[in-house]
Amino acid sequence: MQKQTYSLVLRQEREADQVKKQCKMCGKVTIFTDTTIKRHNANGKSIYQFAIYKCPKNHTWNKKLDTYKSFSEHVDPETLIPTEFDSIKENEKIIFVELVDLDVIECKVMVVEGSFRLDQALASQIEGLSRNEIVQKIKKGSILLNNGLVKPSQKISLHDTILIHLK
Ligand SMILES: [Zn+2]
């Protein structure tokens, strides 16, 4: 059986936005701008994700974005991407027509920033398969999440494995 493994990096595109709030250091309400730099803090079994905002005087404010479970403590998910996988980054896609000889595509979810439905995430990451085709495959069981049948609207979590059977 011909299988290709990819690691999926799912990031929701975010505009650099601004937030008006009290700066404790400045002692007044000011405009905080998103630096688009993000950091992860591990606390027990959860990883907290923050966006770093700065006021005009460079005081930082960490805006909590998301919390997700970690299978081990103090792990930055970015460091978990095994090098033998093809990593799908932003603006990069799995090209479906190049995969005709394959039986199975395996996608390991290495980074999830934001909320992603299975069908939408795959449609955005795979070129040559429409969202509708993906929905049909999920319903037929040709696409499995963690080896199980799921709904197309199922939310994707960190470390999920998606199997796409092509034949
Ligand atoms: Zn300030």
Side-chain angles (χ1 to χ4, degrees):
M1 191 175 71
Q2 290 266 40
K3 188 168 102 175
Q4 174 77 51
T5 301
Y6 294 91
S7 50
L8 276 194
V9 176
L10 300 172
R11 293 186 209 273
Q12 219 128 57
E13 281 180 33
R14 292 187 309 120
E15 298 278 316
D17 68 332
Q18 297 190 318
V19 177
K20 210 172 170 184
K21 72 183 292 289
Q22 175 81 19
C23 176
K24 281 180 196 152
M25 301 295 287
C26 292
K28 60 171 184 172
V29 174
T30 182
I31 305 281
F32 280 83
T33 305
D34 188 352
T35 61
T36 72
I37 296 166
K38 275 169 261 168
R39 54 186 285 230
H40 302 87
N41 277 1
N43 179 357
K45 290 262 179 277
S46 295
I47 293 177
Y48 298 93
Q49 185 179 73
F50 298 92
I52 300 174
Y53 283 66
K54 286 195 167 175
C55 85
K57 299 226 167 113
N58 261 349
H59 304 128
T60 57
W61 168 56
N62 294 331
K63 183 188 181 184
K64 194 168 159 191
L65 295 177
D66 215 352
T67 308
Y68 45 91
K69 294 276 181 234
S70 119
F71 60 77
S72 64
E73 293 179 24
H74 310 298
V75 174
D76 181 343
E78 303 267 11
T79 65
L80 294 174
I81 299 173
T83 47
E84 70 267 26
F85 296 164
D86 286 339
S87 177
I88 306 300
K89 304 253 187 212
E90 295 108 302
N91 310 319
E92 233 186 281
K93 290 186 174 187
I94 299 170
I95 310 293
F96 194 67
V97 287
E98 290 175 2
L99 305 171
V100 284
D101 293 335
L102 287 176
D103 300 306
V104 177
I105 303 172
E106 181 183 58
C107 299
K108 291 182 180 289
V109 180
M110 295 303 175
V111 176
V112 181
E113 291 178 1
S115 178
F116 293 90
R117 291 167 52 127
L118 177 62
D119 55 349
Q120 285 171 344
L122 289 179
S124 72
Q125 302 284 327
I126 300 175
E127 196 169 292
L129 261 190
S130 71
R131 165 109 176 262
N132 199 34
E133 288 171 305
I134 286 165
V135 167
Q136 293 312 314
K137 279 182 177 292
I138 295 169
K139 287 182 174 167
K140 277 194 310 188
S142 305
I143 295 178
L144 298 174
L145 186 69
N146 301 323
N147 272 322
L149 276 169
V150 292
K151 285 188 283 188
S153 61
Q154 177 68 40
K155 288 284 193 299
I156 292 180
S157 305
L158 191 65
H159 304 131
D160 278 350
T161 299
I162 303 160
L163 281 181
I164 305 167
H165 292 270
L166 304 174
K167 292 184 178 149

